[in-house]
Amino acid sequence: MVERPNDQRAQLDALYADMTPRHLLPLWESLHALVLPEPKSPAVPWQWRYDDVRAYLMRAGDAISAEQAERRVLIMENPGLPGWSAITPSLYAGLQLVLPGEVAPCHRHSQSALRFVMEGLGAFTAVDGEKAMMEPFDLVLTPGGQWHDHGNPSPAPMIWLDGLDIPIVRLFDASFAERLGTAAHPETVPAGDTLVRYGHNLRPMRGSTADRRPGARPMFHYRHATWRPALDAMATTAEIDPHLGHALEFLNPTDGGPVLPTLSAHVRLLPAGFQTRPRRSTDGSVFVVVAGTGEALVGEETITLEERDVVVVPSWMTLTLRARSELVLFAYSDKASQLALNFYGEQNL
Ligand code: GTQ
């Protein structure tokens, strides 16, 4: 509360008391907290150790089937956002388990999702009836509005990170969801079709019957077998960015923009012994350690990084990364949303 002379204070207090029941508030008491001079996230830096979460997820696997749960997922909720089911104010993150022989039934919703495979081989995500066979550290997209189901015909558990824009859709009160009614969407094209047609910087000619996927977003599978060699090659040939390390963004081949309307994703490589210069950006980000060990300095916090750890870096907190051994990271954020809405900012320090 702003300091006011006593008589004014009494006058204002009387005004507030009378108008509050009418759902009216004085802006001048909260303006500074509503319109901030710079971002100040209620989210905190945090880390989930993969083996720790995995143990709970396997217990969930004993307790409930994927079909029964619809999605058997443990939500990673930011300790600074209790009750939000969110890892940052705009991002959702969870770890999903599909056991051998299980299906996660077909549904669609306004929310866009990305999946980053943590463990397992040979389960699939099907988008509008087209399967992508998933391998560790593959990125798979299920854009908003498209039917998707998951299945695991392999003999081992399949676990992936779900990154969704649930809080963004909630902010706009724009959520629609429906179930198909059958567990799996009828298969529409052979598995892997998206990669054949759109995965090589080529596309079927416009208007041809071979151009089957939605025009604006035809690619939904970005394989580790593709992105990793590209990043490794970059690390041997390119000058390293002092603030990022070697970094490649996943892109939508139709326009060179982010992979989803709301979410962006990228990968980085830091050579052993390399330390980035500090950097901050307005897109709170979720990192996954793909390989290597090191540390993340997030504001005042030091977080040790080990393979498959999940780390959240809130908006505008200074991040410095240190690689003990060669460090490979995946990250997603709401940068796509912020760019579209003209909010995005970053600062190299
Ligand atoms: O796989 O469709 O973690 O709809 C949360 C909501 C996963 C999914 C989540 C979802 C999904």
Side-chain angles (χ1 to χ4, degrees):
M1 283 235 267
V2 182
E3 283 303 314
R4 313 255 179 221
N6 276 344
D7 53 339
Q8 189 191 28
R9 184 75 268 159
Q11 198 179 1
L12 286 171
D13 286 346
L15 171 64
Y16 302 167
D18 289 347
M19 71 187 195
T20 300
R22 315 300 285 262
H23 310 288
L24 295 166
L25 299 168
L27 172 64
W28 57 92
E29 298 288 358
S30 59
L31 179 59
H32 56 285
L34 293 175
V35 182
L36 300 170
E38 62 173 39
K40 191 164 173 278
S41 184
V44 297
W46 201 257
Q47 170 189 46
W48 288 262
R49 289 249 179 250
Y50 182 68
D51 289 343
D52 195 32
V53 182
R54 189 187 188 281
Y56 293 106
L57 196 50
M58 295 312 288
R59 268 173 69 183
D62 285 337
I64 188 166
S65 73
E67 188 129 28
Q68 213 187 347
E70 187 160 342
R71 296 293 183 265
R72 189 204 287 113
V73 179
L74 300 186
I75 300 169
M76 290 178 276
E77 185 181 72
N78 193 294
L81 305 171
W84 286 47
S85 296
I87 193 161
T88 73
S90 61
L91 299 175
Y92 162 102
L95 281 182
Q96 178 159 179
L97 168 66
V98 185
L99 287 168
E102 284 191 324
V103 291
C106 194
H107 69 192
R108 65 176 174 181
H109 39 65
S110 310
Q111 291 79 3
S112 286
L114 57 80
R115 330 283 173 175
F116 190 70
V117 179
M118 304 293 265
E119 174 183 333
L121 187 81
F124 63 84
T125 290
V127 178
D128 287 339
E130 180 182 341
K131 284 178 184 166
M133 304 307 294
M134 298 158 91
E135 298 184 20
F137 310 125
D138 282 6
L139 173 66
V140 176
L141 312 177
T142 58
Q146 299 190 20
W147 293 108
H148 54 284
D149 52 271
H150 313 289
N152 184 1
S154 90
M158 188 87 184
I159 299 175
W160 61 75
L161 174 85
D162 283 327
L164 283 90
D165 56 9
I166 288 173
I168 297 174
V169 178
R170 179 167 58 196
L171 173 69
F172 288 109
D173 273 341
S175 179
F176 293 94
E178 62 182 317
R179 295 183 67 158
L180 184 61
T182 54
H185 194 287
E187 206 155 334
T188 48
V189 293
D193 200 63
T194 183
L195 287 174
V196 173
R197 281 163 218 275
Y198 306 96
H200 305 98
N201 247 350
L202 295 161
R203 63 175 298 162
M205 282 182 77
R206 283 270 159 84
S208 74
T209 53
D211 190 9
R212 321 191 225 251
R213 293 210 43 84
R217 223 161 279 282
M219 262 283 276
F220 69 96
H221 190 189
Y222 299 75
R223 300 178 70 221
H224 179 242
T226 303
W227 69 256
R228 186 66 179 274
L231 190 63
D232 288 344
M234 193 183 177
T236 64
T237 59
E239 196 183 330
I240 193 161
D241 182 288
H243 293 89
L244 294 172
H246 298 288
L248 289 171
E249 286 185 296
F250 293 97
L251 59 79
N252 173 356
T254 60
D255 61 3
V259 284
L260 290 166
T262 46
L263 304 177
S264 303
H266 77 270
V267 283
R268 297 189 197 192
L269 187 153
L270 276 62
F274 185 80
Q275 174 169 330
T276 66
R277 295 207 191 125
R279 174 180 182 271
R280 58 185 177 175
S281 59
T282 56
D283 59 329
S285 301
V286 179
F287 286 86
V288 176
V289 181
V290 172
T293 57
E295 283 106 43
L297 279 65
V298 188
E300 306 290 291
E301 303 251 345
T302 302
I303 294 171
T304 61
L305 303 174
E306 288 173 25
E307 203 172 302
R308 292 185 170 88
D309 285 350
V310 177
V311 173
V312 57
V313 178
S315 167
W316 213 234
M317 294 199 70
T318 302
L319 172 66
T320 304
L321 290 165
R322 234 187 256 143
R324 278 184 197 279
S325 58
E326 183 181 84
L327 192 60
V328 178
L329 304 171
F330 165 83
Y332 72 96
S333 81
D334 63 0
K335 185 177 174 182
S337 304
Q338 295 199 30
L339 286 171
L341 298 173
N342 232 2
F343 298 149
Y344 181 72
E346 61 185 29
Q347 187 180 34
N348 288 332
L349 300 162

